[in-house]
């Protein structure tokens, strides 16, 4: 490691519990946290599923008071977040559980903040908040977002995505039970799984990467490379599912501190709300990622060569430069195997949109600033042209 | 794989010069006078001056208690607690080696809990700690990211641990280790390596702790040799500080195994020997690796490779066993004795020492290979002669 290693900091959820059947530890953990009257934040799909039954059973047997709010939206808006807050403040709760995907967990975070802070979500988005949240347990039901260990929430506004983050926002407990992900349909498994890989990979190459986040990012990518195809091919493969769940958690530990980079910025640039094209988050990230990898490869050849190796390429006999570029080709193979297209044309992007999309990348200034290669508008136009044609430069 | 938990310090700050961030962090944590817990050696050396300057520059008020002892007794920690209770402090800064850090944890418990340390050791405590920042001045114990403190009485050692005992901030500034003498660099550095490799083979290891342990093991072999050879090598020192931190996060959750138990078995208070913590563990570690290797050959082969052995072309079994040889080479390079005979252990002590291993019940329970008294006698006989079976 280099001598001039910068100062870095690392934080995560106060406690993490991972494993099949981990939900059974919920009531004991709530007891330790001292919460008695609990708001359960979820969405209608989870609200009607066995997953919620399991959670509620824990609370009932533990003698806790609780109320379920199942109105979290799939793409959380500020208005939706305010609704969660209004519900929470009416109920006199002293603890919050979030059960669901990334959007649900974001709602649960602001719900817990509303117990200990005055003001509204729009206030906090403008000038943050003062107090740590009430006891907060986050239980993800998709393996992907890593939101359960991060200190950020994202809500869409008419102008684009608004992000709130604070070192105070880490949850008390991230409780990850892979059983919760067992019923995820194959396409969601694929989208979320690729997102997990990209979270790990982008954290790995981020300018904010640290030796701690690298340790987690490397494990994340290896687990996805070894398990995602199998989990997609057969959702009954419990071992593969469990490993994907674990990968998502580790990915969260990595990008929670190191951040994601150009890969996520490009996805935001061509999908809703920047354009009118609605796409699942992981799917949007997946399609443009081969092209961001190719763009970035020369900025950190060693790390991109490592990525290629993790993806299973025989890089031993290649030059460092070729090994680095091989990572993009290898990622394309992964997309092929998961039936995800490698061209944005398939999503409804037309050629005349490309110059606007390229400019949109700069609306994610934090991602751009962390990216290992300087981002230019010209570079982005070229990148999206390639993504439109579905062809990497190194394939020609 | 059973459900597993993972936790660490609420915030970790690492880097040369990161001490400059101390005042900003303290301003977020508290608004009142600060108690600095340290020992006499540190208080006469550079690190305390640096800390004082930072606090001074930011207009923060503080007092210093510098009577921490090298293996803290319950009494000496109680004295620190009394000091803090007599004043009106709103946050604790621990600055020193593992013993100082442990004392600072007990003091932070006292900020928010009634009772005494001996009460807490017996029955635990209920309230979260007062604001606590831990700043290690050695690269080894990893105590700054753990939730445990170890205190001695005349008869035994007592551990205080609690899920509430993680500090708010572990602030690791490698510049603090610059002036550490070579032999302490070796003792603390080898302790960090043992933390990493014992956490890695522990039955409580998880994918999360493995990620951290592997990073630590990658860093230590080359950087420890370099830092021992030349203490001015700040790149090596920085990497050792980082490795000790990563290893601390790993063993803070996965625990250590019989490497540590064997170290404890032949030193005080069980016998009359007083050796530094890392030193006592290091000497028996090759024999522990040889003993454990067959229980997890894959992981022991990885250890061998990370310790620099070329394992290509070896069978998995031979690669696993070569981890012991690799560790022995490292001991030789750091001028450690190669047998417990050389440090004063006599042959007639071996049966008792072997029995002592079982006193560390949790270490034994986490060990990848089941242990028997007979096997431990054999292990210590080898450690006595300084000869591995595979040599
Ligand atoms: Fe993502
Ligand atoms: Fe140790």
């Amino acid at each position: 490691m280099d001598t001039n290693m910068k100062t870095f900091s690392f934080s995560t959820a106060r406690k993490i519990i991972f494993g099949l059947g981990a939900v059974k530890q919920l009531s004991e953990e709530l007891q330790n946290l001292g919460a008695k009257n609990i708001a359960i934040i979820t969405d209608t799909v989870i609200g009607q599923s066995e997953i919620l039954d399991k959670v509620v059973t824990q609370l009932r047997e533990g003698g806790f008071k609780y109320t379920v709010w199942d109105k979290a939206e799939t793409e959380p808006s500020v208005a939706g977040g305010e609704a969660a807050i209004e519900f929470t403040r009416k109920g006199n709760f002293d603890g919050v559980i979030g059960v669901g995907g990334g959007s649900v967990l974001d709602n649960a975070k602001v719900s817990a903040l509303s117990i200990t802070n005055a003001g509204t979500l729009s206030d906090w988005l403008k000038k943050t908040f003062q107090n740590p949240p009430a006891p907060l347990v986050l239980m993800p039901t998709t393996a992907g977002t890593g939101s359960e260990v991060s200190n950020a929430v994202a809500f869409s506004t008419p102008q684009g995505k608004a992000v709130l983050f604070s070192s105070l926002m880490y949850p008390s407990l991230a409780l990850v039970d892979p059983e919760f992900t067992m019923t995820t349909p194959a396409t969601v498994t694929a989208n979320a799984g690729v997102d997990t890989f990209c979270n790990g990979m982008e954290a790995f190459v981020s300018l904010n990467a640290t030796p701690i986040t690298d340790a987690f990012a490397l494990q994340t990518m290896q687990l996805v490379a070894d398990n995602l195809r199998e989990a997609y091919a057969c959702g009954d493969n419990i071992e593969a599912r469990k490993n994907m769940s674990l990968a998502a958690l580790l990915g969260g530990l990595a990008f929670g501190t190191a951040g994601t980079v150009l890969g996520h910025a490009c996805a935001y640039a061509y999908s809703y709300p920047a354009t009118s094209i609605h796409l699942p988050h992981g799917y949007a990230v997946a399609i443009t990622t081969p092209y961001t990898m190719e763009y970035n490869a020369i900025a950190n050849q060693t790390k991109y060569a490592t990525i290629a190796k993790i993806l299973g390429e025989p890089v031993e006999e290649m030059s460092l430069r070729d090994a680095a570029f091989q990572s993009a080709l290898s990622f394309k193979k992964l997309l092929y195997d998961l039936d995800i297209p490698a061209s944005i044309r398939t999503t409804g992007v037309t050629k005349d949109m490309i110059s606007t999309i390229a400019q949109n990348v700069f609306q994610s200034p934090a991602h751009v600033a962390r990216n290992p290669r300087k981002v230019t508008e010209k570079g982005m136009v070229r990148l999206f042209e390639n993504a439109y044609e579905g062809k990497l430069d190194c394939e020609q | 794989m059973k459900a597993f938990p993972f936790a660490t310090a609420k915030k970790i700050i690492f880097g040369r010069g990161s001490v400059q961030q101390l005042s900003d962090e303290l301003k977020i944590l508290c608004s009142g006078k600060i108690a600095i817990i340290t020992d006499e050696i540190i208080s006469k050396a550079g690190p305390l001056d640096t800390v004082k300057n930072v606090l001074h520059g930011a207009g923060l008020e503080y007092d210093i208690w510098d009577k921490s002892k090298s293996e803290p007794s319950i009494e000496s920690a109680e004295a620190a607690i009394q000091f803090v209770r007599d004043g009106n402090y709103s946050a604790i800064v621990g600055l020193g080696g593992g013993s100082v850090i442990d004392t600072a944890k007990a003091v932070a418990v006292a900020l928010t809990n009634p009772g005494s340390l001996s009460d807490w050791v017996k029955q635990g405590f209920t309230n979260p700690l007062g604001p606590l920042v831990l700043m290690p001045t050695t690269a080894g114990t990893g105590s700054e990211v753990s939730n445990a403190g170890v205190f001695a009485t005349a008869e035994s050692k007592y551990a205080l641990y609690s899920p509430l005992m993680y500090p708010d901030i572990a602030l690791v500034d490698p510049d603090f280790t610059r002036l550490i003498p070579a032999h302490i660099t070796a003792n603390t550095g080898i302790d960090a390596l043992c933390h990493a490799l014992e956490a890695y083979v522990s039955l409580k290891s998880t994918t999360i702790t493995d990620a951290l342990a592997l990073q630590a093991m990658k860093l230590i072999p080359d950087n420890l040799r370099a830092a021992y050879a030349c203490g001015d090598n700040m790149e090596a020192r920085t990497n050792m500080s980082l490795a000790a931190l990563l290893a601390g996060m790993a063993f803070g959750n996965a625990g250590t195994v019989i490497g540590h138990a064997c170290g404890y078995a032949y030193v005080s208070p069980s016998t009359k020997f007083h050796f530094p913590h890392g030193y006592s563990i290091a000497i028996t570690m090759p024999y522990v690796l040889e003993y454990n290797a067959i229980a997890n050959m894959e992981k022991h082969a990885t250890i061998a490779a990370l310790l620099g052995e070329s394992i290509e072309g070896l069978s998995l079994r031979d690669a696993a066993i070569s981890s012991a040889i690799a560790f022995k080479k490292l001991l030789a390079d750091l001028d450690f004795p190669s047998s417990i005979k050389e440090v004063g252990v006599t042959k007639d002590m071996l049966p008792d020492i072997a029995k002592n291993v079982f006193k560390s019940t949790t270490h034994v329970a986490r060990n990848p290979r089941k242990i028997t008294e007979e096997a431990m006698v054999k292990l210590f006989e080898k450690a006595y002669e300084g000869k591995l079976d595979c040599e």
Side-chain angles (χ1 to χ4, degrees):
Chain A
M1 245 148 263
D2 67 284
T3 340
N4 302 314
M5 194 192 316
K6 283 178 305 186
T7 297
F8 67 77
S9 75
F10 178 81
S11 289
T12 187
R14 297 285 174 264
K15 184 173 184 179
I16 295 165
I17 299 180
F18 177 91
L20 285 170
V23 64
K24 296 199 186 84
Q25 299 180 30
L26 178 60
S27 78
E28 191 189 327
E29 293 295 332
L30 283 171
Q31 216 118 42
N32 293 342
L33 290 169
K36 294 186 182 68
N37 183 17
I38 290 148
I40 302 178
I41 305 293
T42 188
D43 60 27
T44 46
V45 179
I46 303 289
Q48 284 157 19
S49 73
E50 259 175 49
I51 292 175
L52 194 72
D53 287 344
K54 284 186 187 162
V55 172
V56 163
T57 305
Q58 276 288 309
L59 296 191
R60 214 182 294 125
E61 285 172 2
F64 297 94
K65 268 183 77 184
Y66 63 87
T67 312
V68 177
W69 186 80
D70 64 0
K71 300 191 178 55
E73 311 153 289
T74 32
E75 284 169 29
S77 65
V78 172
E82 303 284 14
I85 290 174
E86 199 192 323
F87 159 79
T88 309
R89 285 189 172 143
K90 274 195 195 136
N92 220 350
F93 300 107
D94 57 11
V96 176
I97 299 177
V99 192
S103 329
V104 168
L105 301 190
D106 283 1
N107 274 309
K109 284 178 182 171
V110 296
S111 161
L113 283 177
S114 75
I115 296 177
T116 48
N117 289 278
T120 63
L121 175 55
S122 347
D123 294 340
W124 303 334
L125 285 168
K126 269 178 235 132
K127 44 179 221 271
T128 197
F129 53 86
Q130 294 303 312
N131 304 314
L136 171 63
V137 179
L138 298 179
M139 309 177 69
T141 58
T142 53
T145 67
S147 179
E148 69 276 9
V149 289
S150 89
N151 62 342
V153 291
F155 290 90
S156 54
T157 70
Q159 291 83 39
K161 279 225 188 273
V163 180
L164 169 63
F165 61 99
S166 157
S167 59
L168 295 176
M169 212 160 34
Y170 289 102
S172 325
L173 174 65
L175 204 161
V176 185
D177 192 332
E179 235 164 71
F180 287 10
T181 68
M182 290 300 165
T183 53
T184 313
T187 51
V188 179
T189 302
N191 295 341
V194 175
D195 186 30
T196 295
F197 188 88
C198 293
N199 289 340
M201 172 170 66
E202 293 182 40
F204 184 56
V205 301
S206 164
L207 294 181
N208 286 355
T210 74
I212 297 182
T213 60
D214 281 357
F216 294 134
L218 287 165
Q219 289 275 38
T220 304
M221 291 187 284
Q222 192 67 60
L223 283 167
V224 177
D226 295 346
N227 293 282
L228 178 54
R229 287 177 174 92
E230 292 176 14
Y232 174 67
C234 175
D236 298 335
N237 186 333
I238 293 178
E239 192 60 26
R241 290 267 202 193
K242 197 184 62 194
N243 283 328
M244 283 308 300
S245 219
L246 185 56
L249 172 66
L250 289 159
L253 292 174
F255 89 88
T257 295
T260 52
V261 295
L262 185 62
H264 274 64
C266 285
Y268 298 144
Y270 81 94
S271 62
Y272 178 85
T275 70
S276 58
I277 301 171
H278 286 258
L279 297 172
H281 169 75
Y283 186 84
V285 174
I287 298 174
T288 45
T289 286
Y291 312 97
T292 58
M293 291 169 80
E294 187 173 55
Y295 181 78
N296 277 345
I298 60 164
N300 195 331
Q301 296 190 122
T302 309
K303 280 194 165 175
Y304 276 95
T306 302
I307 294 165
K309 194 169 168 211
I310 289 172
L311 283 169
E313 298 296 319
V315 297
E316 272 79 26
E317 324 242 291
M318 292 182 195
S319 70
L320 185 61
R321 186 265 177 201
D322 288 354
F325 279 91
Q326 193 65 31
S327 64
L329 290 162
S330 191
F331 190 86
K332 242 183 150 184
K333 290 184 206 165
L334 177 63
L335 294 186
Y336 177 83
D337 292 346
L338 301 174
D339 302 312
I340 297 175
S343 152
I344 53 174
R345 193 161 40 174
T346 60
T347 68
V349 171
T350 53
K351 222 164 183 174
D352 57 303
M353 294 163 72
I354 287 179
S355 61
T356 315
I357 290 174
Q359 277 161 22
N360 288 345
V361 172
F362 296 90
Q363 283 173 19
S364 303
H367 294 80
V368 167
R370 288 189 293 258
N371 196 59
R373 182 169 179 178
K374 287 266 173 276
V375 180
T376 62
E377 205 179 311
K378 207 170 133 210
M380 289 306 101
V381 170
R382 173 81 184 261
L383 188 156
F384 279 102
E385 278 168 0
N386 285 350
Y388 181 82
E389 300 297 342
K391 204 137 178 73
L392 291 161
D393 282 336
C394 62
E395 284 176 304
Q396 278 144 20
Chain B
M1 181 181 13
K2 282 181 303 186
F4 66 78
F6 179 84
T8 190
K10 297 195 182 85
K11 183 172 187 179
I12 294 166
I13 302 176
F14 179 93
R16 295 187 64 186
S18 57
V19 62
Q20 300 301 333
Q21 297 177 33
L22 177 63
S23 50
D24 285 348
E25 296 293 339
L26 281 169
K27 280 179 186 166
I28 296 169
L29 284 175
C30 71
S31 55
K33 209 197 257 183
I34 292 143
I36 301 175
I37 306 296
T38 187
D39 64 26
E40 277 172 345
I41 299 166
I42 302 289
S43 88
K44 288 187 192 107
L48 186 66
D49 287 337
T50 314
V51 167
K52 279 156 71 177
N53 285 337
V54 170
L55 297 188
H56 217 77
L60 291 166
E61 266 192 277
Y62 62 87
D63 288 323
I64 296 162
W65 187 85
D66 66 359
K67 298 186 182 54
S68 194
K69 292 281 170 320
S70 77
E71 272 175 46
S73 64
I74 292 211
E75 293 78 51
S76 95
E78 296 280 15
I81 287 170
Q82 199 51 52
F83 167 81
V84 169
R85 282 186 172 154
D86 288 344
N88 187 16
Y89 298 101
S90 66
I92 308 298
V93 172
L95 176 70
S99 319
V100 168
I101 301 276
D102 285 358
T103 304
K105 286 178 187 169
V107 170
V109 176
L111 275 193
T112 48
N113 288 274
S116 66
L117 177 55
S118 7
D119 297 338
W120 306 328
V121 167
K122 275 180 230 129
Q123 315 140 22
F125 56 89
T126 44
N127 301 321
L129 309 200
L132 175 63
V133 180
L134 298 176
M135 307 175 70
T137 56
T138 58
T141 68
S143 183
E144 68 277 8
V145 285
S146 88
N147 61 343
V150 180
F151 304 93
T153 63
E155 315 82 55
S156 193
K157 284 195 174 183
Y158 291 96
L160 172 63
Y161 62 101
S162 155
L164 297 172
M165 218 159 59
Y166 290 103
D168 295 285
I169 296 172
L171 198 159
V172 183
D173 190 332
D175 281 345
F176 286 172
T177 66
R178 178 190 286 277
L179 298 174
I180 291 179
H183 69 280
I184 298 179
T185 300
N187 292 344
T188 51
I190 206 94
D191 186 29
L193 177 59
C194 294
H195 293 158
L197 53 88
E198 291 183 51
Y200 185 56
V201 303
S202 164
L203 293 180
K204 286 186 71 188
S205 67
T206 69
T207 312
I208 297 183
T209 59
D210 283 356
L212 297 161
L214 285 166
Q215 281 280 63
M217 288 191 283
K218 266 182 219 163
L219 288 166
I220 295 175
D222 292 352
N223 287 293
L224 179 53
R225 284 179 171 94
Y228 176 70
C230 175
D232 298 334
N233 183 338
M234 279 314 291
E235 177 175 357
R237 290 251 196 227
T238 301
N239 282 326
M240 280 310 298
S241 282
L242 176 61
L245 172 68
L246 294 165
M249 295 169 76
F251 95 90
N253 288 279
T256 52
V257 296
I258 63 165
H260 271 61
C262 286
Y264 299 147
Y266 75 97
V267 299
S268 170
S270 317
T271 67
K272 292 283 164 276
F273 297 112
H274 288 264
F275 298 124
H277 172 79
Y279 180 89
S280 61
I281 291 157
I283 301 174
T284 51
M285 198 63 197
Y287 313 96
V288 170
L289 287 166
E290 188 174 50
Y291 180 74
N292 278 343
I294 62 162
N296 193 333
M297 296 202 287
E298 203 86 50
K299 280 192 165 177
H300 280 83
T302 302
I303 293 171
L306 290 173
L307 289 179
E309 288 301 294
S310 88
I311 59 168
E312 240 105 290
L314 291 185
S315 69
L316 183 60
R317 184 266 177 202
D318 288 354
I321 300 273
S322 72
S323 61
I325 294 170
F327 197 93
K328 239 184 152 185
K329 288 180 191 164
L330 178 59
L331 290 185
D333 293 348
L334 302 175
D335 301 317
F336 278 89
S338 60
S339 72
I340 52 174
K341 182 163 58 178
E342 288 167 57
V343 302
V345 172
T346 56
K347 219 161 188 174
D348 56 303
M349 298 175 179
L350 298 183
D352 281 336
I353 289 173
K355 280 199 193 93
N356 284 344
V357 176
F358 292 87
K359 287 185 183 166
S360 303
T361 48
T362 54
H363 295 80
V364 169
R366 289 188 292 256
N367 198 60
R369 183 169 178 179
K370 289 264 173 277
I371 73 164
T372 61
E373 211 179 303
E374 206 192 324
M376 289 304 102
V377 170
K378 231 181 115 191
L379 187 156
F380 279 102
E381 278 169 1
K382 288 193 269 175
Y384 179 82
E385 299 297 344
K387 199 141 178 70
L388 291 159
D389 282 342
C390 61
E391 285 175 302

